[in-house]
Amino acid sequence: MSGKFYITTPIYYVNDQPHIGHAYTTIAADVLARGQRAAGRDVRFLTGTDEHGIKICQAAARAGLNPGELADRVVVHFRDLWKRLDIRYDDFIRTSQDRHRARVGELVRRLLDRDQIYLGAYDGWYDEGQEEYVTENDARENDYLSPISGRPLVRHSEESYFFRLSRWIEPLAAHIESHPEFIQPASRRNEVISKLKLGVEDLSISRQAAKLMNWGVPMPNDPACSVYVWIDALSNYITALGYPPLGDGQEDLFASYWPADIHLIGKDILWFHAVYWPCLLLALDLPLPVTVFAHGWWLHGGKKMSKSLGNFISREEIEDICRDYSPDYLRYFLLRSVKFGDDGNFSSGQLKEIYNTELANGVGNLLSRTVKMVEKYLSGTIPRPPSAGKSGEEEVIGRARDLIESFPGWMARLEFQSYLGAIVDLETAANRYIEENKPYALAREDPASPRLAEILATCAEAVRIILLYLLPVMPEKAAQGLEMLGVEVPDQGATVYPARWGGYDWSRTVKKGKPLFPRRD
Ligand code: MSP
């Protein structure tokens, strides 16, 4: 596999602290980025913060700060959390940065030049949590409450600039039709197709600057208005690549990385990414992203965990999980316990159970018993493993090959649960193989038996492959485990995949270490 891979997360609002929902998207993006890097692709991974808009202004006013001060405080929590969770992004964009603001102004100017924007008036309902106008029908259907936060909709009436969104709906629908990969998963694609059929109106893309404490990007033709926060925010995916070029010394990454290979988002913001964003790109005559993938929600009490409902796993609770288990385990759990794309309930019982079953008793046990036996019976040196065909090893080798062969497909389809499931299957097969072949009994009978060496080499090879394939999800733990096996830990950016059964320079010396995944009771 080669070529470039540009992946983005949503940029998160800085009106409040990060929580598990934000961590979820960002972890998934990091795992994909690491997986693609290790498969030899030139990866660019972008994340950042969305700092303009009414939500930030209101939160700042409540805290007695101006919006810029609030953003400066909160952004630190996002950066710190990403560091704690071992998120390796290439760029972190803040929409308050000059590099972004100047480019948003330029993009809007280009839309004006292309007659894509006109002055009109808006009178209707507004969902402040979502920063979105709501049609009368939708408002009535939801009893004038936000379908996302449950908060009352607010009446808005103002002169506004409109983007000729409706002009682009037909070409967009044709694109969606001919590119099944454009909106994923398929169920979300169908939702968008159905909603498009109901008709789409032009989009209001400006707000009165004074109502936003002049905190926003001014409309280039009318500075009394600010660019609507969603137009401003969506643009980050290209402004971060230095587009449009402004001769300000910013590297021109656009030619190398655009279009995005994946915009990873939650389903709450699919419409913005699957309709507004591609239509803006069409109006600017720019290529569309390859895939917009909308994952599901972490729920609590049947409702989406959110800051507005206060039912979320907070930054502090994330810290507790990192301390009680490890940051790597939080990464593993979030991707393993729920099929990516579906909703899930967060349960601390399940958190402990999966840890003990799959990691403490599973991978961790396989690693520690293998290392111990190699030390005790083979003076610490791992011999070359047998290849397929030998009796007894077929299942372990077959499972390892399945994992290796299926990995690129799982990554391409974001099927993290199946990918981690295949690791667990390999671990289970290898632990069973030990029970069945009883190397400890063999060692008592004949310590020099070649069969004993074969069995232990098979176990060591299975666990090497497990750890290699765990690297994107558990970068720190997998590296520690590989060191115990005497395997040099590959550099970030080194091509690691596909691995090969027996594809290693043998005669490695194991190093005993602390248990990788101590049991939690
Ligand atoms: N600022 C906008 C996005 C602009 S992108 C150009 C925004 N920000 S947000 O802070 O509200 O973050 C939204 C994202 O956080 C969701 O799309 C999703 O990725 C993630 N999640 C927030 N709560 C979540 C859950 N309860 N469950 C899963 N993910 C959720 O919207």
Side-chain angles (χ1 to χ4, degrees):
M1 202 187 292
S2 59
K4 65 92 187 170
F5 184 75
Y6 180 36
I7 180 163
T8 66
T9 71
I11 48 172
Y12 303 108
Y13 287 130
V14 287
N15 59 331
D16 215 331
Q17 309 278 321
H19 65 72
I20 201 114
H22 309 126
Y24 186 44
T25 322
T26 312
I27 287 170
D30 186 59
V31 168
L32 287 174
R34 285 175 186 266
Q36 299 292 356
R37 257 182 230 128
R41 286 175 87 171
D42 171 16
V43 170
R44 188 147 188 100
F45 170 17
L46 172 71
T47 190
T49 42
D50 188 353
E51 306 193 352
H52 297 134
I54 190 88
K55 277 159 84 111
I56 318 300
C57 294
Q58 288 172 343
R62 279 196 300 274
L65 299 169
N66 68 46
E69 287 168 339
L70 177 72
D72 286 347
R73 285 188 191 186
V74 177
V75 73
V76 176
H77 296 301
F78 279 93
R79 284 187 188 276
D80 286 353
L81 183 61
W82 300 160
K83 197 163 169 210
R84 180 75 171 126
L85 296 176
D86 225 340
I87 306 297
R88 219 169 270 197
Y89 50 77
D90 298 292
D91 192 4
F92 188 107
I93 191 165
R94 301 180 57 183
T95 53
S96 60
Q97 288 166 336
D98 289 342
R99 63 163 170 161
H100 173 76
R101 293 169 54 89
R103 288 185 165 79
V104 171
E106 175 59 20
L107 287 171
V108 173
R109 206 186 51 70
R110 290 186 182 190
L111 290 170
L112 285 160
D113 288 351
R114 290 166 175 252
D115 185 32
Q116 297 295 328
I117 292 177
Y118 63 92
L119 186 62
Y122 183 83
D123 181 28
W125 297 103
Y126 198 65
D127 181 339
E128 287 187 338
Q130 284 287 94
E131 295 269 16
E132 188 180 15
Y133 284 112
V134 180
T135 63
E136 183 60 38
N137 276 348
D138 286 349
R140 195 177 325 109
E141 227 169 73
N142 283 299
D143 294 330
Y144 301 92
L145 299 174
S146 161
I148 307 286
S149 67
R151 297 236 172 124
L153 300 174
V154 176
R155 193 81 198 170
H156 265 221
S157 176
E158 62 184 30
E159 205 173 55
S160 161
Y161 290 93
F162 283 81
F163 165 53
R164 297 189 191 280
L165 179 66
S166 53
R167 260 195 199 171
W168 298 102
I169 296 302
E170 249 186 64
L172 173 68
H175 182 83
I176 295 174
E177 202 56 53
S178 57
H179 294 79
E181 73 289 359
F182 179 56
I183 303 172
Q184 289 288 323
S187 55
R188 303 268 164 254
R189 173 171 184 262
N190 296 338
E191 279 170 23
V192 172
I193 294 176
S194 315
K195 197 167 163 197
L196 281 176
K197 288 192 179 133
L198 301 176
V200 178
E201 290 168 9
D202 287 344
L203 176 67
S204 159
I205 58 148
S206 69
R207 300 290 182 269
Q208 303 294 321
K211 285 194 191 164
L212 297 165
M213 303 157 86
N214 290 306
W215 175 246
V217 179
M219 286 290 288
N221 58 330
D222 185 350
C225 294
S226 294
V227 175
Y228 173 37
V229 65
W230 266 102
I231 303 297
D232 171 351
L234 289 162
S235 308
N236 92 90
Y237 300 130
I238 54 177
T239 64
L241 297 177
Y243 190 90
L246 293 181
D248 58 357
Q250 287 266 323
E251 219 180 330
D252 182 12
L253 296 164
F254 186 80
S256 314
Y257 292 104
W258 190 256
D261 293 85
I262 296 197
H263 289 316
L264 199 56
I265 57 166
K267 65 181 183 179
D268 44 335
I269 54 175
L270 178 60
W271 190 249
F272 299 96
H273 284 82
V275 178
Y276 299 167
W277 179 228
C279 287
L280 282 166
L281 290 167
L282 288 172
L284 290 162
D285 205 13
L286 294 175
L288 303 189
V290 179
T291 296
V292 174
F293 190 106
H295 64 66
W297 287 339
W298 285 97
L299 308 173
H300 192 260
K303 291 216 160 102
K304 175 184 176 237
M305 286 187 179
S306 72
K307 287 176 284 205
S308 34
L309 293 182
N311 60 349
F312 57 92
I313 307 275
S314 64
R315 191 166 62 83
E316 290 78 10
E317 287 163 281
I318 294 176
E319 186 47 50
D320 289 346
I321 297 170
C322 290
R323 213 190 30 242
D324 292 348
Y325 298 90
S326 61
D328 276 8
Y329 179 56
L330 179 66
R331 295 167 59 104
Y332 181 95
F333 176 76
L334 292 179
L335 299 180
R336 172 71 177 134
S337 60
V338 175
K339 179 168 176 229
F340 204 64
D342 291 355
D343 291 346
N345 277 295
F346 194 95
S347 112
S348 34
Q350 205 194 11
L351 187 77
K352 189 189 281 183
E353 186 180 325
I354 292 187
Y355 177 84
N356 280 334
T357 319
E358 300 186 353
L359 297 176
N361 300 344
V363 176
N365 184 34
L366 177 67
L367 172 68
S368 68
R369 66 207 294 212
T370 302
V371 168
K372 266 188 214 139
M373 289 191 285
V374 170
E375 274 225 313
K376 198 162 162 197
Y377 307 138
L378 303 175
S379 319
T381 305
I382 305 175
R384 176 175 291 282
S387 52
K390 292 261 181 179
S391 65
E393 279 76 49
E394 294 88 348
E395 196 192 348
V396 174
I397 297 175
R399 297 253 177 223
R401 296 224 162 105
D402 284 351
L403 170 63
I404 292 167
E405 276 162 27
S406 306
F407 179 76
W410 286 323
M411 280 282 157
R413 298 186 301 275
L414 286 76
E415 291 175 10
F416 302 112
Q417 197 183 40
S418 309
Y419 140 53
L420 294 172
I423 289 182
V424 174
D425 289 345
L426 174 55
E427 162 272 301
T428 310
N431 271 318
R432 194 183 320 120
Y433 169 81
I434 296 182
E435 303 309 325
E436 285 169 5
N437 288 278
K438 302 192 180 28
Y440 27 86
L442 209 59
R444 273 195 303 271
E445 284 163 24
D446 175 10
S449 144
R451 180 68 188 141
L452 174 64
E454 258 177 19
I455 296 170
L456 294 184
T458 301
C459 298
E461 184 58 349
V463 75
R464 179 183 76 94
I465 291 190
I466 288 173
L467 293 168
L468 219 45
Y469 279 85
L470 267 181
L471 273 171
V473 179
M474 309 191 96
E476 199 184 323
K477 290 286 178 188
Q480 283 168 9
L482 286 168
E483 273 167 22
M484 288 166 71
L485 280 181
V487 176
E488 215 173 291
V489 178
D491 274 359
Q492 266 293 309
T495 304
V496 176
Y497 306 133
R500 197 164 54 76
W501 179 266
Y504 194 78
D505 179 15
W506 289 89
S507 297
R508 291 172 285 127
T509 310
V510 298
K511 289 188 210 96
K512 259 210 277 195
K514 279 198 273 181
L516 208 52
F517 302 110
R519 241 193 103 77
R520 298 279 177 242
D521 293 308

